[in-house]
């Protein structure tokens, strides 16, 4: 399946959507997963963790990423467009950014337990330099990338 990096989300909109989803009282399953040169860091939302605790952990991880790589592009994955799975998008972004120094690619999936109307799936591609982000967007955004 071809992967398209096409629906960008502003940082503030992404953070608001995460906050709204996790404070809405809706029942979600979720996970946050990041991959970088240092390896992979999974953060599953286990049954014993409240939405507030999961939100705090996600915020902290995003803060750490911001300190390490401040130039972000965030893509929204949507089922209605039949986008590739979030993990496939994350892995493709990581593979495509191997030529850049210290890139972090993370995915966040919040999937409704009752229905998918309020699902939120985001892929964060975090660069240390703005030219890296611009280069990635010019080279890959809106173009079919084979997985």
């Amino acid at each position: 399946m071809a992967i398209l990096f096409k629906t960008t989300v502003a940082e503030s909109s992404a953070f608001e959507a995460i906050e709204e989803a996790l404070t809405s009282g809706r029942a979600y399953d979720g996970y946050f997963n990041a991959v970088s040169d240092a390896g992979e860091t999974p953060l599953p939302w286990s049954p014993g963790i409240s939405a507030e605790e999961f939100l705090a952990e996600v915020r902290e991880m995003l803060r750490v990423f911001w300190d390490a790589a401040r130039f972000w592009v965030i893509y929204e994955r949507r089922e209605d467009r039949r986008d590739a799975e979030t993990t496939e998008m994350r892995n493709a972004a990581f593979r495509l950014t191997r030529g850049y120094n210290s890139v972090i690619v993370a995915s966040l999936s919040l999937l409704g337990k009752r229905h998918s109307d309020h699902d939120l799936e985001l892929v964060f591609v975090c660069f240390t330099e703005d030219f890296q982000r611009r280069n990635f967007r010019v080279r890959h955004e809106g173009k079919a990338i084979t997985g």
Side-chain angles (χ1 to χ4, degrees):
M1 167 180 244
I3 297 169
L4 288 174
F5 294 99
K6 63 181 177 182
T7 306
T8 59
V9 178
E11 292 165 15
S12 60
S13 296
F15 300 149
E16 287 171 16
I18 294 166
E19 186 91 19
E20 193 277 323
L22 291 174
T23 60
S24 69
R26 289 185 210 99
Y28 284 102
D29 282 324
Y31 69 88
F32 186 84
N33 189 293
V35 64
S36 69
D37 294 335
E40 189 168 355
T41 306
L43 176 61
W45 187 354
S46 59
I49 297 177
S50 71
E52 294 79 21
E53 290 171 306
F54 186 69
L55 176 58
E57 290 181 15
V58 168
R59 278 186 192 141
E60 181 56 30
M61 288 189 79
L62 291 173
R63 221 174 266 120
V64 168
F65 297 164
W66 183 256
D67 289 343
R70 290 187 181 231
F71 300 96
W72 294 13
V73 60
I74 304 168
Y75 297 97
E76 180 182 27
R77 186 253 181 219
R78 298 208 358 225
E79 186 66 34
D80 62 341
R81 287 193 315 248
R82 295 188 174 156
D83 288 344
E85 294 297 319
T86 307
T87 302
E88 292 172 347
M89 290 177 67
R90 186 208 63 195
N91 292 344
F94 188 67
R95 183 176 42 81
L96 294 169
T97 59
R98 294 314 336 125
Y100 304 126
N101 191 24
S102 302
V103 173
I104 301 167
V105 182
S107 59
L108 171 70
S109 291
L110 299 174
L111 307 173
K113 288 185 177 182
R114 293 187 186 91
H115 51 75
S116 61
D117 291 351
H118 299 286
D119 287 359
L120 178 62
E121 296 184 81
L122 302 172
V123 175
F124 299 80
V125 187
C126 312
F127 301 93
T128 57
E129 301 288 336
D130 189 37
F131 82 87
Q132 296 169 328
R133 174 179 56 184
R134 288 192 315 265
N135 190 352
F136 180 84
R137 293 188 76 177
V138 167
R139 293 181 75 201
H140 303 295
E141 210 164 84
K143 299 170 184 150
I145 309 295
T146 54

